[in-house]
Amino acid sequence: MNALIIGGSGSIGLAVIKQLLLLRPYAHIHATYFRHQPDYQHPHLHWHALDITIEADIAKLTALLPQLDVLINAAGVLHTAGHLPEKSIQQFDVDFFQTNIQTNTLPTLLLAKHFMASLKTSPRSYFVTISAKVGSIEDNKLGGWISYRSSKAALNMAIKTISIEWQTKLPSCCVVAFHPGTTDSALSQPFQRNVASHKLFTPQYTAQCLLNILSTLTPKNSGQFLSYSGDTIAW
């Protein structure tokens, strides 16, 4: 197996790497980081520095990975040092909105564009993006978090659209969006106070859920939005 984990330096990404190496000790895992390479090392793990918002950087990485079985995009942003998710439209900020789109939506489009040929070489491949249930338009009952919700809703539309195109162009590929639940990470840390303890998942548990679900999927399941529980979420 040749796998690429985008955002491998994050809590979920790193947990997915470790779980993959546990399940597939002879797999070749490639993983990306932005600023700081994690200390975690393994003979079959290869780290790559990558700015996921720059198309030229993604294209360069593609040249190193001509054959790929699994691509998981675990990168994302919910808040920045200077901005938390909006509680009201009055807090809307153009720069923060663009940061959400550039980090949560754009990379998946660029990854699909440039890694399509690499995924096509596999007899069965998987293209997976970590999304979020708050990106579901039908499920939105509370409002708020408009930049994050919008970027994830746009991401979900991208995943659905790519899956339709690849039904004919990449019929051996399963394209899915994955909702990880509230995982104990830097992304969710400011919002954990009101989360029940049994609903705050360890990164290891989230990674296990994701890989367990992937092991049951075939290209016939392409185009779905799946929860950590395995349930389908309305777009």
Side-chain angles (χ1 to χ4, degrees):
M1 173 191 285
N2 292 314
L4 172 61
I5 312 302
I6 302 296
S9 55
S11 297
I12 293 177
L14 188 57
V16 168
I17 291 168
K18 292 178 179 179
Q19 186 67 15
L20 266 177
L21 289 169
L22 181 65
L23 296 173
R24 298 287 191 95
Y26 298 105
H28 293 281
I29 311 297
H30 297 264
T32 72
Y33 64 93
F34 181 35
R35 290 190 179 90
H36 306 292
Q37 179 176 326
D39 295 331
Y40 182 72
Q41 300 293 327
H42 187 279
H44 291 165
L45 173 61
H46 312 277
W47 287 107
H48 306 271
L50 180 70
D51 185 333
I52 57 173
T53 68
I54 298 179
E55 183 169 8
D57 289 1
I58 291 176
K60 288 179 182 177
L61 181 60
T62 307
L64 301 176
L65 302 171
Q67 197 278 326
L68 203 58
D69 302 298
V70 177
L71 192 159
I72 299 173
N73 180 11
V77 66
L78 174 57
H79 55 88
T80 65
H83 214 298
L84 291 172
E86 310 93 339
K87 294 182 179 180
S88 164
I89 190 62
Q90 298 302 316
Q91 296 176 335
F92 179 79
D93 177 83
V94 172
D95 290 338
F96 183 63
F97 177 80
Q98 291 178 337
T99 295
N100 275 264
I101 294 293
Q102 288 174 345
T103 308
N104 295 332
T105 311
L106 176 65
T108 289
L109 293 163
L110 295 176
L111 290 165
K113 175 182 177 180
H114 288 281
F115 279 100
M116 178 178 170
S118 300
L119 291 163
K120 196 171 185 177
T121 62
S122 174
R124 178 174 293 182
S125 56
Y126 298 87
F127 184 82
V128 184
T129 295
I130 304 294
S131 186
K133 191 176 182 180
V134 296
S136 167
I137 294 174
E138 186 171 335
D139 186 73
N140 185 2
K141 305 295 193 301
L142 297 175
W145 289 24
I146 193 166
S147 292
Y148 186 69
R149 286 185 186 274
S150 297
S151 68
K152 290 296 187 178
L155 169 64
N156 291 345
M157 179 59 82
I159 284 288
K160 184 65 175 179
T161 303
I162 291 164
S163 74
I164 293 170
E165 178 181 342
W166 285 7
Q167 284 176 1
T168 54
K169 294 183 178 179
L170 249 71
S172 62
C173 186
C174 182
V175 181
V176 294
F178 176 75
H179 166 59
T182 304
T183 304
D184 188 8
S185 65
L187 183 144
S188 69
Q189 196 278 328
F191 314 100
Q192 294 178 7
R193 183 174 57 184
N194 296 323
V195 178
S197 58
H198 69 284
K199 286 292 187 178
L200 180 62
F201 304 141
T202 65
Q204 293 75 21
Y205 175 77
T206 299
Q208 289 170 2
C209 290
L210 171 56
L211 296 179
N212 286 342
I213 289 171
L214 288 188
S215 70
T216 69
L217 300 181
T218 72
K220 292 181 180 180
N221 303 112
S222 192
Q224 294 186 344
F225 184 12
L226 300 172
S227 173
Y228 62 89
S229 62
D231 295 331
T232 300
I233 300 173
W235 291 109

